Amino acid sequence: MKTIEIIKPDDWHVHFRDGEILKAVVPETSKHFTRAIVMPNLMPPVLTGLDALKYKLRIQEAIPQSDSFTPLMTLYLTEKTDLKDLEKSYIEGLVFAAKLYPAGATTNSDSGVKNIKNIMPLLECMSEIGMPLLIHGEVTDKNIDIFDREKIFIDTVLDFICKELPELKITLEHITTKDATSYVKESGKNLSATITPHHLALNRNAIFVGGIKPHYYCLPILKRENHREALVNAATSGNDKFFLGTDTAPHLVDTKENACGCAGVFNSTYSISILAEIFDNKNSIDKLEKFTSLNGAKHYNIPVNSEKIKLVKLNKPVLFRKSLEFKGDKIIIFEPGFPVFWETCC
Ligand SMILES: [Zn+2]
């Protein structure tokens, strides 16, 4: 049996949602990760420092006492975001970053930004105070094919922001294309990207082969195999610019298995095991720690975690739990469709 030890990971992109579901989903993250950046797309969104503080307190109540876990809070940028509140909230440590959702890009993003030029004063302020910008990088024009939305966002919006504000620290989140890996690799030092376990594990065939698979439907949507390969190459290369953001997003089973099913994959339970399998299959298990535990902290200029975890490669595949129970309902846990032999232990 092979065993490796790595610094305990951070998750640089999670959705916890709100209310009673926190008690079901927060422990799935706090068990495996020391810190996580928490997305602000609640209904209503996290718009002010006070909203973020209150939400953080609700999350903290859901962390088991045995876990040492820090949620890092974010503000949801809108064209009406109060610049003074944004600045004060960051300087006082209430929030870690601000999130840009193009209006309508994903779950609960209706209040997002319609025209990037309308938030340039906010971005200029963020650049000056060192506050990171997190980006859902897709255009939302309904005339643009869903599989092309990331590339067109990079060409028309991201490139503009990077050129206008080269000192702004930016994370292009949950990248899905070869175009994104190339753009990020060739960009300046302040642009990095997160990659999810499901975009590393699957291509778009997974959604459709043998019947429609709503639990593989997420946004940005899975892409062609050559894009998945580019993501795996970027993640396993050890390049500092790429790190883990699981984008774990809980939805109750009947909102996924539905005539108009929600986008999102709940993957926090086995994300580290799945990543270990993917890295091992690329003969790059030695690069796993950079991706899960080092590169993100470096990008955000914060200390690396001190705790460590062990991963064991079993002789037989890990038996995945199928779902998380929540008030008589279920949240389906992501499984990648191939055997996973790596198991995490403390
Ligand atoms: Zn997300």
Side-chain angles (χ1 to χ4, degrees), residues 6-12 33 174-175 193-200 231-246 271-272 274-276 278-279 284-298:
I6 62 168
I7 291 166
K8 193 167 181 185
D10 296 306
D11 186 347
W12 301 107
F33 301 93
H174 44 55
I175 60 168
T194 58
I195 310 179
T196 77
H198 43 286
H199 289 99
L200 291 171
L231 297 178
V232 171
N233 289 336
T236 59
S237 68
N239 187 321
D240 292 355
K241 282 174 163 280
F242 300 99
F243 46 88
L244 172 63
T246 67
S271 53
I272 301 300
I274 294 166
L275 290 169
I278 292 167
F279 276 64
S284 302
I285 197 76
D286 59 317
K287 304 287 193 331
L288 179 68
E289 186 181 52
K290 286 202 81 182
F291 184 72
T292 61
S293 317
L294 299 177
N295 293 351
K298 188 173 177 190

Side-chain angles (χ1 to χ4, degrees), residues 140-153:
T140 56
D141 181 340
K142 64 177 176 4
N143 295 315
I144 293 177
D145 191 282
I146 190 169
F147 294 100
D148 298 334
R149 289 178 179 185
E150 184 172 275
K151 176 174 170 25
I152 292 179
F153 181 90

Side-chain angles (χ1 to χ4, degrees), residues 74-75 77 86 96-101 113 116 119-120 122-123 126-127 130-136 153 157-158 161-162 165 168-173 190-192 299-300:
T74 55
L75 286 182
L77 288 178
L86 172 126
F96 182 77
K99 173 79 186 241
L100 167 61
Y101 287 102
V113 172
I116 195 71
I119 63 159
M120 286 310 281
L122 295 169
L123 301 187
M126 289 171 63
S127 178
M131 181 177 190
L133 174 68
L134 316 177
I135 301 182
H136 182 115
F153 181 90
V157 184
L158 181 64
I161 302 173
C162 289
L165 297 166
L168 178 61
K169 194 167 280 298
I170 301 174
T171 311
L172 184 60
E173 301 199 284
N190 288 317
L191 177 67
S192 290
H299 173 67
Y300 291 117

Side-chain angles (χ1 to χ4, degrees), residues 48-195:
T48 66
L50 185 60
D51 292 343
L53 175 64
K54 288 180 179 169
Y55 184 32
K56 183 175 186 174
L57 294 173
R58 297 196 293 277
I59 292 167
Q60 283 172 328
E61 280 177 21
I63 303 171
Q65 283 195 337
S66 52
D67 295 348
S68 157
F69 172 72
T70 305
L72 302 170
M73 308 310 293
T74 55
L75 286 182
Y76 186 117
L77 288 178
T78 74
E79 294 180 10
K80 293 184 186 141
T81 296
D82 183 310
L83 193 144
K84 285 282 163 231
D85 181 71
L86 172 126
E87 186 176 19
K88 187 165 172 281
S89 303
Y90 178 71
I91 289 169
E92 291 181 355
L94 293 180
V95 298
F96 182 77
K99 173 79 186 241
L100 167 61
Y101 287 102
T106 188
T107 308
N108 301 344
S109 64
D110 295 346
S111 335
V113 172
K114 291 195 176 72
N115 185 341
I116 195 71
K117 297 205 168 112
N118 293 338
I119 63 159
M120 286 310 281
L122 295 169
L123 301 187
E124 281 159 20
C125 169
M126 289 171 63
S127 178
E128 275 165 31
I129 63 178
M131 181 177 190
L133 174 68
L134 316 177
I135 301 182
H136 182 115
E138 289 189 292
V139 291
T140 56
D141 181 340
K142 64 177 176 4
N143 295 315
I144 293 177
D145 191 282
I146 190 169
F147 294 100
D148 298 334
R149 289 178 179 185
E150 184 172 275
K151 176 174 170 25
I152 292 179
F153 181 90
I154 291 168
D155 294 346
T156 59
V157 184
L158 181 64
D159 193 57
F160 168 78
I161 302 173
C162 289
K163 288 197 171 122
E164 287 290 304
L165 297 166
E167 291 307 312
L168 178 61
K169 194 167 280 298
I170 301 174
T171 311
L172 184 60
E173 301 199 284
H174 44 55
I175 60 168
T176 60
T177 58
K178 190 167 191 281
D179 311 278
T181 61
S182 304
Y183 187 86
V184 170
K185 272 186 220 161
E186 287 157 20
S187 65
K189 66 180 190 330
N190 288 317
L191 177 67
S192 290
T194 58
I195 310 179

Side-chain angles (χ1 to χ4, degrees), residues 1 98 116 120 204 229 282:
M1 245 179 356
I116 195 71
M120 286 310 281
R204 66 188 191 180
E229 283 170 356
K282 271 300 255 189

Side-chain angles (χ1 to χ4, degrees), residues 13-15 39 41 99 101 106 136 173-174 219 247-249:
H13 185 131
V14 304
H15 297 269
M39 291 299 117
N41 60 332
K99 173 79 186 241
Y101 287 102
T106 188
H136 182 115
E173 301 199 284
H174 44 55
L219 288 174
D247 200 12
T248 186

Side-chain angles (χ1 to χ4, degrees), residues 29-43:
T29 292
S30 65
K31 183 177 174 190
H32 299 288
F33 301 93
T34 301
R35 298 171 289 207
I37 294 185
V38 182
M39 291 299 117
N41 60 332
L42 306 179
M43 287 286 267

Side-chain angles (χ1 to χ4, degrees), residues 252-271:
L252 297 180
V253 68
D254 58 351
T255 64
K256 294 283 294 172
E257 297 174 12
N258 188 297
C260 185
C262 294
V265 166
F266 182 74
N267 64 19
S268 45
T269 312
Y270 298 110
S271 53

